[in-house]
Amino acid sequence: MEKQTMKDILNRMLNHEELTREEMKQILVGITHSEYPTEQITALLTALQMRGVTVDELLGFRDGILETGVPALLKADRYIDVVGTGGDRKNTFNISTTACFVIAGAGYKVAKHGNYAATSVSGASNVMANHGVHFTDDIDKLNRCLEEVGIVYLHAQLFARAMKFVGPIRKALQFPTIFNLLGPLVNPSQPQCQLLGVANLDQMRLYQQVYQKIGIDYGIVNSIDGYDEISLTSDFKVTTNSYERVFSPGDLGFSIAKPEELVGGATEEEAKQIFDAVLENRSLPAQKNIVLANAAFGIQVLERGQKSIEECIDIARQSIDSGAALRTFKKFVELNG
């Protein structure tokens, strides 16, 4: 794209026009080729944020990130990623990551995409690194791990090359941009199943439309009190390919959790200890229940909604109680240490 075209695009943005999926993709590719001055990228990101991002605009940037990044071609028919949008400022422990190992322990395939923490003490990559895990984009190693353990970890920075071009701009802007919405959509293995936690119902509607256009099996969850996962601190909404429903913790046989029971601690070490405690089946009951709830809805997505949520909770519980989730994690660390 020529500089003139970017000027035209900014003028269209000022007229409140929407951009096409292809235009957004070309802009993203142009950013990775350093075609635009920082000021123009900043103006574009700000204009998009003020107006609100459309489904096609989000998909266009997703297309560009996947095209300019490193693909992860996994040899498995069906696997899931469990992820939150982040930014709920609740500093919860690593619920999605723990749930991934529970799902893998139950015999399903998982490709977890993650990064270092942005708004909490410990992100998925923090907790992995603190167990001695080395990140890789070596496709043979990743496929061996998926085959032998049932789960792979894809550290975002090794795959999404475009992100480093906008990192300094995002930091300087200090408000959320379209890139905050992209994290859950740019898993380089492009999984057929995803369980996504969002912080509000507007995001739930946006991602529902995105997933319908991509054509994958999905579950999107939001706790009514603002958590981007099933927190069990309040009622929560779940939207999937086949239903939309509000659940209460009691519907699943769980007690209501207290917010302080979800906190990930003040240090990465404390977050690691909670993660270990859940897999070792010695955590607070609320911490275990929260992981079971999130893992269960992930399992239901993998099962194409053919199993009841009660059946899926039983499968997840068996994974922890039998030690399968812990064995899966230990084997994973062994292969990736």
Side-chain angles (χ1 to χ4, degrees):
M1 258 193 175
E2 297 168 11
K3 298 286 184 296
Q4 178 61 31
T5 313
M6 183 51 136
K7 183 183 168 187
D8 290 343
I9 278 179
L10 289 173
N11 279 324
R12 284 171 56 200
M13 294 295 295
L14 289 172
N15 287 326
H16 307 285
E17 290 178 40
E18 294 177 2
L19 304 179
T20 67
R21 183 169 176 173
E22 183 59 28
E23 284 169 337
M24 287 293 279
K25 177 185 158 186
Q26 293 306 328
I27 290 167
L28 194 284
V29 172
I31 288 171
T32 65
H33 294 158
S34 303
E35 287 176 15
Y36 314 118
T38 299
E39 292 81 359
Q40 287 186 337
I41 301 170
T42 304
L44 177 70
L45 295 179
T46 305
L48 282 168
Q49 195 62 20
M50 288 175 75
R51 191 201 69 207
V53 177
T54 68
V55 171
D56 276 349
E57 286 167 350
L58 191 56
L59 283 169
F61 258 30
R62 173 185 185 264
D63 294 342
I65 286 174
L66 291 172
E67 185 174 296
T68 58
V70 178
L73 303 169
L74 300 179
K75 294 175 186 165
D77 291 337
R78 195 168 174 79
Y79 50 88
I80 195 167
D81 187 8
V82 181
V83 65
T85 52
D88 64 6
R89 309 255 170 211
K90 303 284 193 184
N91 191 33
T92 49
F93 72 95
N94 302 93
I95 294 167
S96 297
T97 311
T98 317
C100 281
F101 284 95
V102 173
I103 293 169
Y108 299 93
K109 302 280 190 207
V110 180
K112 170 69 178 150
H113 182 232
N115 210 336
Y116 292 116
T119 55
S120 60
V121 168
S122 177
S125 291
N126 302 85
V127 83
M128 293 289 107
N130 285 324
H131 283 91
V133 170
H134 291 119
F135 305 130
T136 183
D137 60 0
D138 181 319
I139 197 62
D140 293 332
K141 278 187 185 168
L142 292 169
N143 272 309
R144 184 186 159 206
C145 189
L146 187 62
E147 192 179 319
E148 293 185 18
V149 192
I151 182 168
V152 287
Y153 185 72
L154 306 169
H155 176 56
Q157 293 174 16
L158 294 179
F159 296 92
R161 289 177 173 156
M163 289 305 200
K164 71 170 183 276
F165 291 91
V166 293
I169 298 171
R170 293 178 69 194
K171 207 165 189 173
L173 284 175
Q174 296 199 338
F175 57 74
T177 68
I178 185 173
F179 288 101
N180 294 68
L181 297 171
L182 280 165
L185 299 175
V186 292
N187 182 321
S189 72
Q190 298 189 45
Q192 310 82 349
C193 306
Q194 191 158 35
L195 183 74
L196 172 67
V198 296
N200 59 60
L201 296 178
D202 285 342
Q203 284 185 356
M204 182 174 271
R205 282 187 287 275
L206 177 68
Y207 283 108
Q208 183 179 15
Q209 292 171 348
V210 167
Y211 286 140
Q212 284 168 349
K213 277 209 167 181
I214 298 171
I216 66 170
D217 291 333
Y218 63 87
I220 311 171
V221 303
N222 165 255
S223 288
I224 305 299
D225 55 352
Y227 285 88
D228 69 334
E229 51 226 335
I230 299 167
S231 63
L232 300 183
T233 52
S234 70
D235 289 358
F236 59 93
K237 185 171 183 182
V238 180
T239 297
T240 73
N241 302 72
S242 49
Y243 70 83
E244 279 191 37
R245 186 181 158 190
V246 175
F247 292 86
S248 71
D251 293 336
L252 308 180
F254 294 129
S255 307
I256 292 177
K258 301 188 182 95
E260 58 268 25
E261 294 175 305
L262 280 72
V263 173
T267 64
E268 288 188 23
E269 180 57 33
E270 284 177 28
K272 173 180 180 264
Q273 286 169 6
I274 298 169
F275 175 89
D276 291 347
V278 176
L279 292 181
E280 290 166 11
N281 204 12
R282 55 176 181 79
S283 67
L284 296 175
Q287 291 168 337
K288 178 180 177 180
N289 290 345
I290 288 153
V291 170
L292 289 176
N294 285 275
F297 280 96
I299 289 167
Q300 194 180 49
V301 172
L302 279 158
E303 291 283 0
R304 295 182 172 87
Q306 299 302 303
K307 282 189 174 5
S308 72
I309 198 59
E310 291 77 15
E311 287 176 280
C312 296
I313 289 169
D314 287 343
I315 293 167
R317 193 186 302 280
Q318 181 63 20
S319 178
I320 294 181
D321 290 354
S322 68
L326 180 62
R327 285 193 298 277
T328 298
F329 181 64
K330 283 184 167 168
K331 197 171 176 191
F332 171 82
V333 172
E334 214 174 281
L335 264 185
N336 293 279

